[in-house]
Amino acid sequence: MTLDPVHFDGIARLAGRIDHGTDERDRRAFAETVWAEFLDPLVHDGRTVLEPVDERARRLVDCEAIALDDREFPTEHGLDAGTINPTTFKNGLVIDIAQAAMSATPSDLDLHRSRTTVMTVHSNDETMTVDETWGKFDAGYSRSRAVKIPPLPRFAEGVVHALALYLAESTHARDHADAVSDLLVLDGPLYPRGLLRWADQHPDLADFLLDDPRPTTVLENYVRLVETFVDRAVPLVGFVKNPATRVLTRTLKSKRDVDLSVPWSDDSALFTRLLERGEYVDDVEGDRWERDTSALTYTNWFRSRGGVDRPLSAEGDALGVERRLEREAYEVTFFVVYDPRDDLCYRIEAPYAFTRDPETRERLTMQLLQNVAVAHGPPTIVAKADELARISNAEKASLRETLEDRFDAAQDRTYDDHRWDEQPY
């Protein structure tokens, strides 16, 4: 059933009970204050957690003009991994499967054919064993591995998902690094953010990071990937489509020496206010904000050493992973681009090893801006990698049925599974 008009109106009227505090004009003004007074640098407990790589600045570029410019990097490669999502079976197994793929422009059919597939398995049964050696399939174009996860009942689904995803992605990237001649764009952050966040969530996960070699091995893959690209002088970046960092907003809220009431839920909300251009125009009910959609706007590059970026900072421990270059080379740097056509922010990350060079920094900026302008969103090379790596809903269902046959155990279903199975994909 759908909502009757009277029910819809009743729900909508609830909004009248909410005083949403500071009005929009004041929030925009406060965003300007944050930009002018707190980001050069942003300090927390005596530590610099955010600072500009060069001068603090906001810039813009015409969408049509940048789309027609010559490309800074003639060829591009993209990388992504897709999963079936954690699946629990009645025999106690919790499993996820990830496959990673690399795209290329111009197209490389042999490269597109290659896959790295990882199955992660969790069980509370100590007698369960897994052959964890790598194997090949598809005439040697692809390879696969199964990995056993130690008993972590409360976090089983999250752990099997994260390790499958990041192990497949990082392994595939390292295996095919030599295929990249100009630029690699990862679909997502530069380092395994989900894994690095575990240490802050619960002691059990923190102990898992310290005691089990698998998470460290995954992070080491990303560290070695950065080293490989630095040695070859080929840049790599991470394109984050849904940035959810809170380093900036959390640090502002924690400041006791300044009276700050921070209204934004995350850093993206703040950057949206800082980068959105427009004006207030007269309307029948007063005035309204009219956004200017002609230009992409973007920030300078920042060095980030807070939150989940701290372990790979110069003062971080990288979870014990050895770093062969000077530590600053691994630090996460980023800039934010705002696309007013969709009212969306994207975060582009790169190692400081590349962005400390002004020429490389500018070339990366222009390339990614052009990508967004042309694709009207995330770069086409990222969408291409996503298409190669994605496991469709129909394929997920089929894989789960096959696993049920192999394990001779049905999927542990809930009522919601039953309910939503009948819904169209």
Side-chain angles (χ1 to χ4, degrees):
M1 293 182 64
T2 57
L3 289 172
D4 288 334
V6 66
H7 301 146
F8 185 93
D9 291 342
I11 294 171
R13 278 199 298 271
L14 289 173
R17 303 184 184 186
I18 300 172
D19 178 0
H20 51 80
T22 310
D23 67 27
E24 194 59 30
R25 289 178 186 268
D26 289 339
R27 292 187 180 190
R28 292 183 188 279
F30 180 48
E32 294 297 329
T33 300
V34 170
W35 177 261
E37 298 182 12
F38 292 98
L39 301 187
D40 193 10
L42 181 66
V43 178
H44 178 59
D45 289 341
R47 291 183 58 251
T48 296
V49 296
L50 197 74
E51 67 175 338
V53 173
D54 50 0
E55 63 175 343
R56 187 182 68 249
R58 286 172 289 177
R59 302 180 176 93
L60 61 87
V61 62
D62 182 81
C63 293
E64 293 185 5
I66 190 67
L68 296 174
D69 276 357
D70 293 335
R71 297 182 67 76
E72 296 289 340
F73 297 89
T75 67
E76 276 185 315
H77 288 71
L79 185 79
D80 193 19
T83 75
I84 68 168
N85 293 327
T87 304
T88 303
F89 295 87
K90 291 183 177 179
N91 61 2
L93 295 180
V94 182
I95 286 177
D96 202 356
I97 300 170
Q99 72 159 354
M102 184 177 283
S103 59
T105 300
S107 292
D108 181 337
L109 297 183
D110 284 345
L111 181 66
H112 291 178
R113 178 176 174 178
S114 178
R115 299 287 189 277
T116 297
T117 304
V118 173
M119 175 187 288
T120 45
V121 188
H122 175 277
S123 175
N124 288 324
D125 185 349
E126 297 288 351
T127 65
M128 187 269 290
T129 60
V130 172
D131 178 0
E132 298 196 12
T133 57
W134 284 99
K136 292 187 176 182
F137 64 101
D138 188 19
Y141 279 91
S142 304
R143 63 178 187 143
S144 60
R145 182 187 180 190
V147 177
K148 179 182 178 180
I149 306 301
L152 282 167
R154 291 183 56 192
F155 306 100
E157 292 190 354
V159 171
V160 297
H161 175 74
L163 286 185
L165 180 72
Y166 293 130
L167 182 57
E169 179 183 81
S170 60
T171 301
H172 200 75
R174 292 189 66 190
D175 286 349
H176 297 285
D178 289 344
V180 182
S181 54
D182 292 313
L183 176 65
L184 174 64
V185 184
L186 304 177
D187 187 355
L190 181 63
Y191 297 113
R193 189 175 297 275
L195 185 153
L196 293 170
R197 194 179 292 118
W198 290 351
D200 299 325
Q201 287 187 345
H202 196 278
D204 286 354
L205 285 176
D207 291 342
F208 175 50
L209 287 173
L210 293 172
D211 298 338
D212 194 279
R214 293 169 185 83
T216 305
T217 300
V218 171
L219 181 58
E220 184 177 6
N221 275 347
Y222 286 91
V223 170
R224 299 291 169 256
L225 183 69
V226 169
E227 292 168 351
T228 298
F229 277 75
V230 170
D231 289 344
R232 299 179 61 229
V234 176
L236 78 160
V237 300
F239 190 93
V240 186
K241 294 179 283 192
N242 298 296
T245 56
R246 293 180 174 85
V247 172
L248 205 165
T249 49
R250 189 169 59 239
T251 302
L252 290 174
K253 288 178 181 179
S254 70
K255 286 187 174 294
R256 296 289 179 258
D257 55 333
V258 189
D259 182 19
L260 292 176
S261 177
V262 180
W264 305 287
S265 59
D266 57 28
D267 297 351
S268 290
L270 170 58
F271 279 116
T272 296
R273 286 291 163 266
L274 288 169
L275 293 172
E276 185 182 30
R277 298 167 59 248
E279 61 181 348
Y280 285 98
V281 298
D282 293 334
D283 200 358
V284 291
E285 297 183 358
D287 57 13
R288 62 177 173 81
W289 176 260
E290 187 170 279
R291 186 187 309 124
D292 183 340
T293 60
S294 63
L296 299 178
T297 51
Y298 59 102
T299 68
N300 57 278
W301 287 81
F302 290 94
R303 295 173 70 174
S304 179
R305 305 187 191 96
V308 293
D309 293 333
R310 182 172 183 173
L312 273 303
S313 68
E315 61 191 29
D317 63 359
L319 303 186
V321 174
E322 179 192 359
R323 286 170 282 184
R324 299 168 183 167
L325 307 174
E326 58 178 320
R327 290 193 168 191
E328 284 190 344
Y330 302 89
E331 287 190 332
V332 175
T333 65
F334 73 92
F335 80 99
V336 176
V337 56
Y338 173 70
D339 189 341
R341 298 169 295 182
D342 297 315
D343 190 25
L344 292 174
C345 265
Y346 305 109
R347 171 172 158 134
I348 292 88
E349 300 182 352
Y352 183 58
F354 294 111
T355 57
R356 61 184 162 193
D357 174 62
E359 182 182 350
T360 303
R361 189 168 64 238
E362 182 66 12
R363 292 180 66 211
L364 288 173
T365 303
M366 291 300 106
Q367 180 86 359
L368 271 299
L369 288 171
Q370 184 179 57
N371 284 346
V372 172
V374 170
H376 208 303
T380 302
I381 196 69
V382 168
K384 196 172 181 180
D386 176 79
E387 184 178 341
L388 291 170
R390 184 188 304 124
I391 304 173
S392 70
N393 286 333
E395 291 166 338
K396 290 176 185 177
S398 181
L399 278 170
R400 289 181 180 123
E401 289 175 4
T402 299
L403 292 175
E404 286 180 325
D405 291 340
R406 296 286 174 89
F407 298 142
D408 193 22
Q411 182 181 340
D412 192 6
R413 293 162 58 84
T414 65
Y415 174 74
D416 282 346
D417 294 322
H418 169 72
R419 176 187 181 191
W420 296 111
D421 273 352
E422 299 179 2
Q423 302 297 316
Y425 291 128

